[in-house]
Amino acid sequence: MKERQQDRRRSQKDVEHLKDRVRELESAEKRRREAEIQREAALEALRESEYKYRSILESIEEGYLEVDLAGNYTFVNDAMCRMLGKNRDEIINASYKTNYTPETAEKAFRMFNRVYRTGTSEELFDDEIIRKDGQTITRELSVSLMRDPAANPVGFRAVARDVTKRKKAEADLRESEEKYRTILENISEGYMEVDLAGKYTFVNNAACAMFNMSREELLGTSYRDYMAPETAQTMFQIFNTIYRTGERAELFDYEILGKNGTKQTRELAASLMRDSSGKPSGFRIVVRDITSRKMTEEALRKREQELKVNAQYLAEANTALKVLLKHREEDRIELERDVLSNVRELVLPFLEKIKTTHLTELQETYFNIIEANLNNIVSPFFRNMTLNDFNLTPKEIQIANLIKEGKTTKEIAAVLNLATSTIDFHRNNIRTKMGFTNTRANLRSYLLSLS
């Protein structure tokens, strides 16, 4: 009996133990199922997260890559494929060095090595790689270290941005800037820029030479420092007009004071400068030093005035000389006329009488010599005298010419449609003006001798 009770108690303990074990197993199974559900949920969240970030990596414009510690690609996104000009199968497991020249590959290796040693992310600017088609492109590369769950380095991840176009634009801009800066520094005109307060922010070499100051001395000073108050006020009004209208303006013949106090005369053209947002930021000025030109113009003006005075004096002297020469010519004509008249009236009549006398052979020889010498003396007077020298009227000159042609008084009257008495009147005037008072002498012969 006692043994059965002991067996029953042991059986009850075993049942209780089994129940406890079942409950533990049920609890463990429940925890396992809950853990399984949590693990599935975590895996689903992880898959969703992976899909999300993979989608982001595939959609971004920047290239993304992962390489192992040996430098072989383990992952690249679509942007990186486009950047390298290859498909994913051509890239994965290939070394990053296949896209570099030996020199640029060494540069990239040193950067990866520093990231591995320090664990600090680095950026590589001007990273040049070679595409599959042979084209060289420039990237900006940001590299960081990848670690496994135990924090051991397993590779590198990098984000790359293609900056080829930007670098080219920057290079073109620098080249253009250098080109125009070279032009500005070599032109003879001064080029300056001032801010809205009127202070110089840029000056070229020619402007420095105009002021006889260095660039450092000029920058930061105001244009007002080099002008008289009146000129500065005029300049301010010009700048104000340009600021309000946006239109270019010019100023001629204004004066500035150089470093040594000397005055310079200039002319300028100014226009408005705007910033990237279109707001006025200052003024650009092109200046020409016209001091020498003004001095030359002033010297020319004075010389012109002197020449005018001299020209007036010469004109007056010339007029006086003309009057003197005219008087001298009139005296010459009068003298020649008197000589010819005296010869005709006082000498020739007696010579004609001598001709009619009976001369010896010797006397005739002397007579011929006298007559020849007399002709030689008076012949220049005949050659130098014309009808105009006797102050004849146009009508008298016309009649004298007809007489030379051998026309009679009647014929001349018919030609000129005048009375014969009128022709005789003019013939007498001609004789009188020529000093030809010997009525027996032939007027036509005398007129022909003047020709």
Side-chain angles (χ1 to χ4, degrees):
M1 186 74 168
K2 187 176 179 180
E3 290 178 355
R4 282 199 295 273
Q5 288 177 347
Q6 288 177 348
D7 291 337
R8 190 181 298 116
R9 283 196 292 273
R10 281 197 297 271
S11 297
Q12 288 176 347
K13 287 183 180 179
D14 290 338
V15 170
E16 290 297 326
H17 179 71
L18 287 173
K19 287 180 178 180
D20 290 340
R21 184 60 181 164
V22 168
R23 282 194 294 271
E24 288 178 1
L25 291 173
E26 287 177 347
S27 177
E29 179 63 17
K30 182 179 179 181
R31 288 195 300 272
R32 187 190 67 77
R33 285 197 300 271
E34 290 177 350
E36 184 69 22
I37 292 171
Q38 290 176 354
R39 187 166 58 252
E40 287 294 332
L43 288 173
E44 182 62 26
L46 183 60
R47 282 193 292 271
E48 289 180 358
S49 177
E50 181 187 20
Y51 176 76
K52 173 183 176 182
Y53 290 111
R54 184 176 292 273
S55 297
I56 292 173
L57 287 176
E58 294 298 351
S59 62
I60 60 176
E61 292 294 327
E62 289 78 6
Y64 176 81
L65 64 90
E66 293 177 0
V67 295
D68 58 22
L69 294 177
N72 298 320
Y73 291 105
T74 58
F75 176 80
V76 289
N77 69 346
D78 290 343
M80 181 57 66
C81 293
R82 291 192 298 272
M83 196 175 291
L84 297 177
K86 300 178 180 179
N87 59 45
R88 191 173 270 101
D89 293 337
E90 293 176 293
I91 299 173
I92 298 300
N93 296 324
S95 173
Y96 72 89
K97 296 180 180 179
T98 58
N99 302 307
Y100 288 94
T101 64
E103 295 78 11
T104 54
E106 178 62 24
K107 183 180 178 181
F109 172 79
R110 289 196 299 269
M111 182 189 63
F112 283 131
N113 186 262
R114 286 194 301 272
V115 173
Y116 179 82
R117 287 186 292 102
T118 64
T120 305
S121 298
E122 278 201 24
E123 291 186 349
L124 178 62
F125 301 100
D126 300 334
D127 178 42
E128 291 187 350
I129 63 169
I130 303 172
R131 287 168 45 88
K132 183 179 179 179
D133 58 10
Q135 179 187 356
T136 299
I137 65 172
T138 305
R139 306 184 302 181
E140 289 180 352
L141 200 64
S142 177
V143 180
S144 59
L145 189 64
M146 291 196 305
R147 298 179 184 274
D148 62 12
N152 296 314
V154 294
F156 305 91
R157 60 172 58 91
V159 176
R161 181 179 296 106
D162 186 349
V163 294
T164 306
K165 291 182 178 178
R166 193 190 77 192
K167 288 292 181 181
K168 184 178 184 306
E170 290 175 353
D172 291 343
L173 182 61
R174 282 193 297 271
E175 182 180 352
S176 177
E177 181 186 17
E178 181 62 26
K179 171 185 174 182
Y180 290 111
R181 183 178 291 274
T182 301
I183 292 173
L184 286 177
E185 292 298 353
N186 287 279
I187 59 175
S188 58
E189 287 78 7
Y191 176 81
M192 299 172 284
E193 294 178 359
V194 297
D195 58 23
L196 294 178
K199 294 184 177 180
Y200 292 111
T201 58
F202 176 83
V203 290
N204 70 346
N205 291 335
C208 294
M210 286 181 186
F211 283 97
N212 194 25
M213 297 172 66
S214 67
R215 184 173 278 105
E216 291 71 20
E217 289 176 303
L218 274 174
L219 294 181
T221 61
S222 173
Y223 69 88
R224 299 180 184 89
D225 298 337
Y226 311 100
M227 296 179 180
E230 300 79 9
T231 308
Q233 182 61 29
T234 301
M235 184 70 76
F236 172 78
Q237 292 171 354
I238 289 176
F239 284 145
N240 186 261
T241 301
I242 295 172
Y243 181 85
R244 288 185 292 100
T245 64
E247 296 181 356
R248 181 175 176 272
E250 295 179 345
L251 177 61
F252 300 100
D253 300 347
Y254 74 96
E255 289 187 346
I256 68 159
L257 298 176
K259 183 178 181 180
N260 55 3
T262 58
K263 288 185 178 181
Q264 299 177 3
T265 306
R266 297 180 179 177
E267 58 186 20
L268 66 77
S271 58
L272 189 64
M273 291 196 307
R274 299 181 183 274
D275 60 19
S276 56
S277 64
K279 294 181 179 179
S281 60
F283 305 92
R284 57 174 58 90
I285 309 166
V286 177
V287 180
R288 183 178 294 108
D289 187 348
I290 57 172
T291 306
S292 298
R293 191 184 80 189
K294 281 294 179 182
M295 292 174 64
T296 302
E297 289 176 354
E298 180 63 20
L300 288 174
R301 188 189 64 78
K302 290 181 178 179
R303 183 57 179 162
E304 183 181 7
Q305 187 63 29
E306 291 175 0
L307 290 175
K308 284 182 178 180
V309 172
N310 292 337
Q312 184 177 359
Y313 169 76
L314 290 175
E316 293 173 354
N318 187 46
T319 300
L321 183 60
K322 284 181 178 179
V323 171
L324 180 61
L325 291 175
K326 182 179 179 182
H327 289 164
R328 182 176 178 182
E329 183 67 14
E330 291 174 350
D331 292 343
R332 181 189 64 78
I333 294 172
E334 183 66 26
L335 176 61
E336 290 178 354
R337 188 182 295 132
D338 290 343
V339 169
L340 288 174
S341 178
N342 291 332
V343 169
R344 284 196 304 269
E345 295 181 2
L346 301 179
V347 178
L348 292 181
F350 294 102
L351 288 178
E352 291 296 326
K353 288 182 178 182
I354 292 174
K355 275 186 180 182
T356 60
T357 62
H358 298 288
L359 300 175
T360 65
E361 183 177 352
L362 181 60
Q363 290 173 336
E364 187 174 353
T365 301
Y366 288 154
F367 178 84
N368 291 334
I369 293 172
I370 292 171
E371 186 177 36
N373 289 338
L374 184 62
N375 286 331
N376 289 335
I377 293 172
V378 298
S379 60
F381 297 159
F382 286 114
R383 287 195 298 270
N384 293 333
M385 296 193 68
T386 65
L387 295 176
N388 291 326
D389 293 330
F390 296 100
N391 296 321
L392 301 181
T393 65
K395 182 62 70 178
E396 290 169 349
I397 292 175
Q398 192 177 17
I399 293 173
N401 288 327
L402 291 172
I403 292 172
K404 285 196 298 181
E405 293 176 7
K407 303 292 185 183
T408 64
T409 300
K410 188 175 180 180
E411 289 172 337
I412 296 172
V415 171
L416 299 180
N417 196 24
L418 296 172
T420 56
S421 59
T422 303
I423 301 302
D424 288 337
F425 173 77
H426 285 304
R427 289 175 73 108
N428 291 331
N429 284 342
I430 294 171
R431 283 176 174 274
T432 301
K433 290 180 179 180
M434 289 184 172
F436 198 65
T437 57
N438 187 351
T439 56
R440 290 181 296 175
N442 189 284
L443 179 58
R444 179 172 180 268
S445 298
Y446 180 65
L447 292 173
L448 288 173
S449 68
L450 294 178
S451 302

